[in-house]
Amino acid sequence: MDYLVTILVLLVFLQTRIMDLRRAVYCLSAQSAIIALSCIAIGLGTGNIEHGLIPAVLTILVKVIFIPGAVLKIIGELKNEREVVSDINTNSSTVAAALFLVLGYAIVGRVMPDAGAKDVISASILMIMTGLSLMVLRKRAVMQIVGLITLENGIYLLGLLLTRGLPLVVELGVFLDVLIAVVVLVILTGRMRLSFMTTDTSIMKKLKG
Amino acid sequence: MENVVAMDYFTVAIVLYLIGATTLAWPKATELAAHYAGTFCAAVASGLVAYSALAYMTCPACDAGTIVNVKWGAYSLLTDYWSAAFLLLTGTAGMIVSIYAVDYAKGYLGNRLRALTGLWNIFILSMVIVLVAGDAFTFIVAWEVMALASFLLVNHESSKKETVAAAYQYMIMTHIGTAAIMIAFYLIGSHADSMSFSDMMHNTLDDNMRSIAFLCAFAGFALKSGIMPMHIWLPNAHPAAPSHVSALMSGVMLKVAIYGLGRVVFNLLGIDFMWQGILVMVAGLISAFLGVLYASMENDMKRSLAYSSVENMGIIFAAFGCGMVLYSNGNGILSTIGFAAALMHCFAHSFMKCLLFMSAGSVMHATGSKNMELMGGLIRKMPYTAAFTLVGAMSLCALPFTSGLISEWMVLQGYITLAQYAGTPEMRLLVIFAFIMLGLTGATALGCFVRMYSVVFLGRARNEIAEKAHEQHFFMLLGMGMDAVLILLIGIMPDMLVNTVQEVFGGAMMMPMALPLGLLWSGSGDYSLYCPLILLAIFAIIVIFTGLLCYKNFEVKDVTWNCGTYPTARQQYSATGISKPLRRAFDYILQPVKETVKIHKKRAYHGQRFNVRLSIPDLFHEKIYQPLQDLIVTTSIKFRAIQDGSVRLYIGYTMTAMIIVLIWGVLLS
């Protein structure tokens, strides 16, 4: 579990440095795979393998294969799309991620000093906050989808850890929720590309009445 | 046996309304058929509702819930005498106006007529459901459906800009009212076992919260009935709607608000404090007088009628408040006079306002305009409409042999009782003030309707549109005629309805009740203070004798003497002209705005032409709503600064909030 968390934190930091859309999606896919592995790990830890296995399979299907696949497909239709002119460069988002990691540890230390898996909780807080900051700092729609999934993964990890396996209905609901959100986002991105010839979300300012 | 019949009829009525509502989805080719079917359903169903309510009220052995008693989870439908009285009112008005709509609404053929008919059914159905709701949820849901259906009906002629503006204004105002009612229900319901009215009756609210709940309920229901500071939607929404819709809105929907107020006051809160009654009374008196004052200034027929609705709702509130004051004084039995007067005026106003809105619709149908200044002499073109309108106008002026007199007389009687049992000198002063206001209201109402009737129907045509007018179709006349007959019937033989209305407060309501002094009518023995039948007989005899004696002397037919020239239509009194003295007398309230523009200047000294525009802005709109609107707009513009339009900025706000919460959590622990 500790290795998994370390790799996860590394991947999240890597995510803050990637500017190329395609690589960002690969990184996201890897991140989701780690989440799936940790599902199994937690399931093994609690001795209830079914509760680990089903979410793991679902995670792999939805977040490792389907969503990245859909996003990659839309990237394939885009040309010359790259997170080029960011208001804030990658260094600041990495520094922000580092701050979030510190914040996560601070929270865990203060709020639940006797929790078992401190690293995992702070890693999930890191993912949540980094996901949000990715959505704020990046302009491309695809990068914002990546941020959303990162955020979602963080929430999922936190929920998994705190409840030792959610009821299956809740998990299915969560997956369906993400799936539909991403489908809508992909469609919207496609429409944006058709209407504005770009997926730069700052162009949406024009819609303000 | 009787019970079963009433219940069955009611169920059939609900089903018929629902069938009528399906006309919304009929194919376009069957538009006219849909209209006939839908209006037929509405008319028959409303008749059944009225009949079942009447059967219930006149059947002494029936207990609560005889008309309908259904429970489905937290939702329930239940009736008592108070709701039955309003069901009778809704059913009668709904049936008559639906009959009128058969021909009137045909004018909307090709203009979303199916929607009009379907929504019409939904509108009446929702009002019926409000009246039989047995718990707060059902009440609020039906209340909202009623608000939405009436909004859509007001907005029917949505191609006109002012219609849309009026409809949205109505929407906003009615939602503020609903919010207030919901607060009241929530406050009461949170201190009771459940949200059903029978449980909310036994609430354990303390006095302060009880007062707040009362204020909220009062504000909500007063808004819906158009009591003065909250009335601004009414004179805009009523003229904008198709005439049969305005008839039903004014004739029934405003009364449904009275029903709600009565439900809260009688069943849920009780009347604990005298100030509550005084508040209702004073609000009613002020809107009665100001309403009729504005009504007599308007040149638009339907606007004038709408302001007259404000006036009459004011009278109803005044009577209701009088009953509340009497009750909180400890005169429980006598308070019945006030409440019965309020209910009676609900009936009377429902009949006469439906009738007048229908005749305004007929006039609009015949001439294409609702501006009184363009009419004149319509009595020769449309004699039946003119006769029916005369009955309605007489009733609104509270002249003898009409239902208007009966109810307003009962209101005055309530105030006489109040004066007798007032207790404190302050209260007596208030009663004197009430008499002054009611007297002023009555006199001004007389002026207002004399003006409206004479300008529209008498004299000569002022414009060619009035010359081209024609009599209306059969069903329109039938609807108006039924209302006119009802008004005369109740005016001449009031004891039927008055006794039934008194029964309301003797039955399932919380008042212990006996027939109070002076409320006995003809046929019941001891105290017949006003018996219209005898009066009518004497009146008829006098008229016939004078007629026979002086018949010859009246027979002079010639042109009015006009200093040697023939009189022209322009020399008649105009609508603006008639109301001029009143405008001058009350100009500190009305504050008329007169703009004079010189439009013709060929010669220096004569032949000059002016364009004079006189407008009377609504006092409350100018002094309360306009500043409030400006304030909201200016503050909103300040808030615009944080609305950049950028998606990332909005996510950033969320993120900032989250970080702050997290840090706060860390610091606190």
Side-chain angles (χ1 to χ4, degrees):
Chain A
M1 195 69 200
D2 285 348
Y3 293 115
L4 287 178
V5 171
T6 316
I7 298 170
L8 194 61
V9 170
L10 272 178
L11 278 173
V12 172
F13 273 89
L14 186 61
Q15 193 95 69
T16 61
R17 303 214 54 90
I18 296 175
M19 289 309 231
D20 184 78
L21 301 185
R22 207 172 280 274
R23 277 180 216 151
V25 178
Y26 290 145
C27 183
L28 177 76
S29 186
Q31 187 200 83
S32 302
I34 302 286
I35 297 285
L37 284 180
S38 44
C39 273
I40 299 177
I42 289 172
L44 283 176
T46 54
N48 190 348
I49 192 74
E50 279 167 38
H51 255 304
L53 213 54
I54 297 171
V57 172
L58 274 174
T59 311
I60 290 173
L61 280 180
V62 173
K63 285 185 186 161
V64 181
I65 299 172
F66 180 76
I67 293 176
V71 178
L72 279 176
K73 188 159 174 285
I74 204 122
I75 292 172
E77 289 167 11
L78 302 172
K79 293 184 183 72
N80 293 330
E81 285 280 330
R82 196 166 184 274
E83 193 67 40
V84 263
V85 270
S86 209
D87 301 344
I88 305 161
N89 61 19
T90 49
N91 292 338
S92 20
S93 40
T94 315
V95 171
L99 285 178
F100 293 140
L101 192 61
V102 174
L103 182 69
Y105 271 104
I107 290 167
V108 177
R110 287 286 198 93
V111 179
M112 23 192 168
D114 42 343
K118 279 185 187 173
D119 298 333
V120 188
I121 295 176
S122 50
S124 60
I125 291 174
L126 167 73
M127 284 174 79
I128 293 172
M129 300 312 292
T130 312
L132 267 176
S133 72
L134 278 180
M135 285 161 87
V136 175
L137 297 178
R138 299 291 188 265
K139 279 181 178 173
R140 303 290 144 181
V142 171
M143 290 303 260
Q144 293 189 335
I145 297 177
V146 168
L148 180 73
I149 302 296
T150 311
L151 165 83
E152 171 62 34
N153 275 343
I155 294 173
Y156 183 67
L157 186 61
L158 193 63
L160 200 69
L161 200 74
L162 292 183
T163 59
R164 302 263 153 213
L166 296 160
L168 196 61
V169 180
V170 179
E171 287 194 7
L172 284 177
V174 168
F175 279 110
L176 208 62
D177 193 35
V178 181
L179 199 60
I180 288 173
V182 170
V183 168
V184 170
L185 283 175
V186 165
I187 292 171
L188 278 182
T189 313
R191 286 234 49 104
M192 251 185 99
R193 188 182 62 82
L194 284 178
S195 312
F196 296 117
M197 310 296 285
T198 174
T199 58
D200 187 343
T201 49
S202 56
I203 215 119
M204 304 272 263
K205 267 192 191 179
K206 281 184 187 169
L207 297 175
K208 186 187 167 197
Chain B
M1 189 61 207
E2 189 92 34
N3 309 359
V4 179
V5 170
M7 203 181 255
D8 284 350
Y9 281 159
F10 191 79
T11 320
V12 172
I14 300 288
V15 173
L16 273 178
Y17 281 131
L18 289 175
I19 295 174
T22 57
T23 52
L24 279 171
W26 285 27
K28 189 159 175 64
T30 58
E31 195 164 32
L32 198 58
H35 164 64
Y36 281 129
T39 345
F40 176 77
C41 283
V44 174
S46 307
L48 288 177
V49 166
Y51 177 76
S52 57
L54 200 62
Y56 168 53
M57 285 171 78
T58 50
C59 145
C62 303
D63 57 341
T66 310
I67 298 179
V68 59
N69 189 356
V70 185
K71 204 163 168 55
W72 187 69
Y75 299 90
S76 61
L77 301 178
L78 197 66
T79 48
D80 57 13
Y81 276 114
W82 180 244
S83 30
F86 283 89
L87 279 178
L88 178 61
L89 187 153
T90 309
T92 318
M95 179 178 72
I96 291 174
V97 183
S98 297
I99 290 175
Y100 173 85
V102 171
D103 273 337
Y104 181 78
K106 259 198 295 189
Y108 291 93
L109 196 61
N111 189 8
R112 296 185 293 128
L113 179 60
R114 287 164 300 156
L116 188 63
T117 312
L119 283 170
W120 175 256
N121 277 284
I122 293 176
F123 182 42
I124 308 180
L125 176 64
S126 63
M127 289 194 290
V128 170
I129 298 294
V130 168
L131 297 177
V132 297
D135 63 288
F137 287 128
T138 320
F139 187 94
I140 289 288
V141 169
W143 185 265
E144 269 306 282
V145 173
M146 176 178 93
L148 287 175
S150 52
F151 160 73
L152 290 171
L153 286 168
V154 169
N155 202 21
H156 190 76
E157 294 171 30
S158 54
S159 52
K160 291 181 191 159
K161 208 178 165 192
E162 67 268 19
T163 301
V164 177
Y168 277 89
Q169 188 187 32
Y170 167 55
M171 186 74 163
I172 292 167
M173 291 300 286
T174 192
H175 272 100
I176 295 173
T178 311
I181 296 168
M182 275 166 86
I183 293 172
F185 278 157
Y186 171 72
L187 281 177
I188 303 168
S190 62
H191 286 77
D193 288 344
S194 79
M195 280 296 199
S196 81
F197 285 149
S198 50
D199 281 336
M200 282 162 82
M201 236 186 239
H202 308 292
N203 61 75
T204 51
L205 219 54
D206 63 42
D207 279 353
N208 288 333
M209 294 314 279
R210 201 176 273 269
S211 306
I212 293 173
F214 172 79
L215 282 177
C216 287
F218 173 71
F221 291 120
L223 194 149
K224 196 73 172 183
S225 15
I227 290 298
M228 229 4 170
M230 287 93 87
H231 71 289
I232 52 152
W233 61 271
L234 203 146
N236 295 332
H238 280 86
S243 289
H244 59 304
V245 175
S246 10
L248 209 60
M249 279 175 76
S250 185
V252 181
M253 194 180 79
L254 305 186
K255 276 41 166 210
V256 172
I258 297 282
Y259 163 81
L261 184 67
R263 177 64 66 206
V264 169
V265 166
F266 294 144
N267 281 95
L268 306 186
L269 287 177
I271 307 158
D272 298 333
F273 312 105
M274 201 199 268
W275 65 261
Q276 298 177 335
I278 294 177
L279 173 71
V280 176
M281 189 169 118
V282 171
L285 288 170
I286 289 174
S287 35
F289 175 57
L290 289 183
V292 76
L293 195 59
Y294 279 106
S296 38
M297 295 302 132
E298 286 294 340
N299 286 341
D300 179 328
M301 268 180 95
K302 287 175 83 177
R303 260 184 93 82
S304 179
L305 288 175
Y307 270 120
S308 158
S309 288
V310 173
E311 172 225 340
N312 282 286
M313 294 315 287
I315 293 175
I316 294 171
F317 266 67
F320 198 89
C322 169
M324 285 175 74
V325 171
L326 275 171
Y327 188 83
S328 57
N329 263 349
N331 298 307
I333 298 173
L334 291 168
S335 71
T336 316
I337 301 176
F339 294 131
L343 188 49
M344 196 59 204
H345 201 65
C346 282
F347 273 99
H349 179 236
S350 164
F351 296 146
M352 57 209 190
K353 198 44 70 69
C354 280
L355 173 54
L356 275 200
F357 266 115
M358 288 193 284
S359 60
S362 300
V363 169
M364 272 175 72
H365 204 261
T367 61
S369 169
K370 50 185 177 175
N371 187 353
M372 285 192 232
E373 301 281 28
L374 305 178
M375 315 278 177
L378 288 182
I379 194 167
R380 282 183 291 279
K381 307 284 180 188
M382 29 205 313
Y384 292 109
T385 310
F388 299 144
T389 313
L390 181 63
V391 173
M394 274 171 70
S395 182
L396 275 164
C397 309
L399 293 183
F401 313 120
T402 58
S403 58
L405 175 69
I406 306 293
S407 54
E408 292 207 21
W409 195 70
M410 280 175 78
V411 174
L412 286 176
Q413 208 172 31
Y415 274 98
I416 291 170
T417 319
L418 185 57
Q420 212 166 352
Y421 293 90
T424 57
E426 292 84 1
M427 201 61 220
R428 280 201 196 97
L429 268 179
L430 193 65
V431 175
I432 293 173
F433 166 74
F435 276 122
I436 295 173
M437 291 304 257
L438 285 174
L440 265 175
T441 307
T444 319
L446 184 64
C448 170
F449 286 98
V450 164
R451 164 179 179 266
M452 177 186 283
Y453 192 78
S454 61
V455 169
V456 174
F457 288 101
L458 305 180
R460 287 186 177 199
R462 290 178 176 75
N463 192 297
E464 59 193 18
I465 57 168
E467 280 167 8
K468 284 182 200 154
H470 51 88
E471 188 54 284
Q472 297 306 301
H473 304 292
F474 173 72
F475 280 109
M476 287 166 79
L477 292 178
L478 181 65
M480 289 190 278
M482 283 168 78
D483 252 342
V485 167
L486 267 178
I487 289 170
L488 289 177
L489 202 64
I490 294 166
I492 293 169
M493 289 186 285
D495 43 327
M496 303 178 294
L497 188 61
V498 173
N499 288 340
T500 319
V501 161
Q502 286 190 51
E503 195 69 23
V504 169
F505 300 98
M509 307 306 299
M510 59 181 214
M511 317 280 167
M513 165 65 199
L515 285 180
L517 295 177
L519 265 181
L520 298 166
W521 301 79
S522 62
S524 45
D526 300 336
Y527 287 93
S528 190
L529 295 184
Y530 168 69
C531 179
L533 211 51
I534 300 173
L535 276 182
L536 183 63
I538 298 172
F539 183 70
I541 292 169
I542 294 176
V543 167
I544 291 167
F545 270 91
T546 10
L548 285 176
L549 289 174
C550 320
Y551 177 62
K552 294 271 176 218
N553 301 350
F554 282 132
E555 212 181 18
V556 181
K557 282 188 178 174
D558 208 343
V559 179
T560 317
W561 188 77
N562 192 32
C563 301
T565 59
Y566 274 102
T568 68
R570 282 179 62 85
Q571 288 171 339
Q572 301 174 94
Y573 253 118
S574 64
T576 320
I578 295 180
S579 55
K580 171 93 181 179
L582 208 56
R583 197 154 45 243
R584 291 188 66 163
F586 291 101
D587 64 347
Y588 57 95
I589 297 177
L590 295 167
Q591 298 182 352
V593 183
K594 192 171 169 184
E595 297 165 53
T596 313
V597 184
K598 209 181 270 188
I599 53 168
H600 197 280
K601 208 187 170 187
K602 260 185 191 164
R603 292 171 286 262
Y605 298 107
H606 70 97
Q608 291 201 358
R609 298 179 72 177
F610 293 94
N611 206 346
V612 182
R613 183 189 297 275
L614 181 74
S615 62
I616 301 188
D618 194 304
L619 184 68
F620 292 98
H621 184 258
E622 296 291 304
K623 293 280 185 288
I624 301 176
Y625 290 93
Q626 199 62 47
L628 193 68
Q629 188 186 342
D630 294 345
L631 185 72
I632 290 173
V633 170
T634 41
T635 24
S636 313
I637 286 173
K638 280 175 195 151
F639 272 107
R640 235 181 126 87
I642 63 165
Q643 298 258 7
D644 186 42
S646 154
V647 183
R648 299 186 301 150
L649 187 67
Y650 295 146
I651 302 172
Y653 288 145
T654 318
M655 185 175 153
T656 318
M658 200 168 152
I659 292 176
I660 289 172
V661 168
L662 280 177
I663 292 176
W664 192 23
V666 169
L667 290 181
L668 277 188
S669 58

